[in-house]
Amino acid sequence: MFTKIKNKITYAVIAAPLYAADDGKITVGPQEGSQWGDLQALTVGRIVSGAISLVMLVVALVFFFILIMGGLKWVTSEGDEKKVAAARAQITNGLIGLAIVFAAFAIMRLINVIFGVDILNLEIKAW
């Protein structure tokens, strides 16, 4: 008896609002203003720009975590000179990597200012 009541309550809570939200219109393809409407404007330039932004973000996060891991190694080295030297080298490598990533970002912004080419927002148009 309780399972029947539980099933009916579950149906009322989960399924009924879905039927209530249906307006009965059948649409084909992405509509303007919908969450998928921007797929029509997807170009090669936007894909390349998104890939560059994603790679920059991932590389910056990797070097940041290398820096954090080097700090943790230093803290847990217990005064051992070899462990401290290895941790110091890892921290140095992490900082150099972060500096390279931020320099690359600064160079892209400089190219945008000087030449007007926004690498992070490319629009490649066919001739």
Side-chain angles (χ1 to χ4, degrees), residues 70-91:
L72 288 174
K73 282 184 180 179
W74 191 325
V75 169
T76 60
S77 67
E78 299 174 354
D80 185 14
E81 291 298 323
K82 290 182 181 179
K83 290 181 181 179
V84 170
R88 185 177 296 152
Q90 187 171 1
I91 290 172

Side-chain angles (χ1 to χ4, degrees), residues 9-84:
I9 291 174
T10 303
Y11 173 77
V13 170
I14 295 174
L18 295 176
Y19 287 117
D22 186 18
D23 60 358
K25 296 180 182 175
I26 298 175
T27 57
V28 178
Q31 301 298 313
E32 187 174 330
S34 71
Q35 67 181 3
W36 304 106
D38 290 337
L39 286 177
Q40 294 172 345
L42 191 61
T43 62
V44 174
R46 287 188 180 186
I47 293 172
V48 171
S49 298
I52 290 172
S53 298
L54 181 65
V55 167
M56 293 281 289
L57 177 67
V58 168
V59 170
L61 286 174
V62 166
F63 282 119
F64 178 74
F65 283 117
I66 288 173
L67 181 69
I68 296 297
M69 292 303 295
L72 288 174
K73 282 184 180 179
W74 191 325
V75 169
T76 60
S77 67
E78 299 174 354
D80 185 14
E81 291 298 323
K82 290 182 181 179
K83 290 181 181 179
V84 170

Side-chain angles (χ1 to χ4, degrees), residues 56 100-110 120:
M56 293 281 289
I100 290 171
V101 169
F102 288 125
F105 180 75
I107 289 170
M108 285 191 291
R109 296 299 297 166
L110 186 65
L120 296 177

